[in-house]
């Protein structure tokens, strides 16, 4: 019997349903079970796909493209992969990670909700602490280096970027990485961060629900809202700092304000 392309002998499609993928990601710590890379593919282990009649989350693992190639090219056995699945790398370290590509000729464009920043070294800061920042290349022809810290609405870290290396956390409810997007959820339908990159020129935050101290920051694809104040269609170009929220460098209107702000800053997410 001739098999239909994309289906096995049981009529099972290679397309894994989204809810099954999520269960697999959660069990595997959201990254490659072998090396902890945040870029993943899905591999049927036991049974293998050609023998599977259903997409069983317990029989599928997450592997990065390199580790996956070692399996499909027969350099690694499925038995070895099953051993790695017993103690996934990301659950051991608590993180998954990978790198952004910003080998650009000029400062990458940063868009957060309805606000775009070009040629700006610190697009947004809260209490003088950058939410996201850009440093020039260390050497000629090197990449611009983006760093940043993102939290959820309770101040718990969701994503950290250190000189283009992004780091997500395996204790999240869900971390989904694909097609240039990083989506972090705190629960079903509750997206606290959606980041989209277009290498090597831009990074966009299309969804954000975040709190630093008493500052609430929310973003959709078109709007940035900070403590209830909306920003739409703004462009900051050639600024050292784009948006500075509650800067401690400015004189306080009340003599008690600066110490209070410093205390709250200390409580903000690291």
């Amino acid at each position: 019997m001739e098999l239909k392309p994309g289906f096995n002998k049981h009529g099972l499609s290679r397309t894994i349903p989204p809810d099954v993928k999520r269960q697999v990601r959660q069990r595997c710590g959201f990254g490659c079970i072998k090396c902890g890379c945040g870029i993943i593919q899905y591999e049927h282990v036991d049974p293998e796909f050609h023998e599977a009649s259903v997409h069983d989350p317990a029989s599928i693992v997450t592997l990065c493209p390199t580790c996956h190639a070692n399996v499909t090219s027969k350099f690694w056995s499925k038995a070895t992969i099953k051993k790695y699945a017993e103690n996934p790398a990301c659950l051991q370290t608590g993180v998954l990670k990978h790198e952004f590509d910003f080998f650009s000729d000029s400062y990458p464009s940063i868009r957060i909700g309805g606000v775009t920043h070009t040629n700006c070294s610190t697009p947004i800061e809260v209490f003088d602490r950058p939410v996201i920042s850009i440093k020039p290349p260390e050497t000629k022809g090197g990449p611009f280096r983006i760093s940043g810290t993102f939290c959820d609405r309770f101040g718990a870290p969701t994503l950290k970027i250190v000189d283009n290396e992004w780091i997500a956390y395996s204790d999240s409810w869900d971390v989904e990485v694909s097609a240039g997007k990083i989506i972090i959820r705190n629960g079903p339908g509750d997206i606290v961060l959606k980041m989209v990159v277009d290498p090597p020129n831009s990074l966009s935050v299309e969804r954000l629900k975040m709190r630093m101290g008493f500052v609430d920051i929310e973003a959709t694809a078109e709007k940035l809202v900070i403590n209830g104040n909306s920003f739409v269609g703004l462009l900051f170009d050639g600024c050292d700092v784009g948006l500075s929220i509650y800067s401690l460098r400015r004189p306080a209107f009340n003599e008690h304000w600066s110490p209070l702000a410093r205390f709250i800053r200390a409580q903000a997410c690291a």
Side-chain angles (χ1 to χ4, degrees), residues 181-251:
K181 302 181 183 68
I182 301 174
I183 302 174
I184 299 176
R185 300 177 178 89
N186 269 9
D190 184 14
I191 297 176
V192 293
L193 176 65
K194 179 181 179 181
M195 182 175 291
V196 181
V197 291
D198 183 14
N201 298 312
S202 69
L203 180 152
S204 299
V205 177
E206 296 187 354
R207 291 286 296 277
L208 182 64
K209 297 176 183 177
M210 172 173 169
R211 166 166 281 205
M212 293 184 72
F214 58 78
V215 179
D216 291 315
I217 306 174
E218 296 195 19
T220 64
E222 302 299 331
K223 182 167 63 174
L224 174 65
V225 181
I226 301 174
N227 279 357
N229 299 293
S230 298
F231 301 87
V232 179
L234 294 183
L235 172 64
F236 292 90
D237 182 37
C239 304
D240 183 28
V241 178
L243 285 172
S244 182
I245 305 164
Y246 293 112
S247 174
L248 303 177
R249 293 187 293 266
R250 298 173 182 172

Side-chain angles (χ1 to χ4, degrees), residues 20 31 35 81 92 114 116 154 156 175 193 207 213 219 223 231-232 237 244 246 251 255 257-258 261 269:
V20 174
C35 68
I81 296 304
Q92 294 182 52
T116 300
F154 305 106
V175 181
L193 176 65
R207 291 286 296 277
K223 182 167 63 174
F231 301 87
V232 179
D237 182 37
S244 182
Y246 293 112
E255 63 179 356
W257 175 252
S258 183
C269 62

Side-chain angles (χ1 to χ4, degrees), residues 26 37 52 72 94 105 129 145 161 172 201 208-209 222 224:
Q26 289 174 331
C37 175
T72 57
D105 294 331
R129 176 182 293 179
R145 294 164 293 149
I161 308 171
S172 300
N201 298 312
L208 182 64
K209 297 176 183 177
E222 302 299 331
L224 174 65

Side-chain angles (χ1 to χ4, degrees), residues 169-181:
Y169 302 93
S170 59
D171 60 355
S172 300
W173 187 81
D174 187 30
V175 181
E176 181 180 4
V177 181
S178 66
K181 302 181 183 68

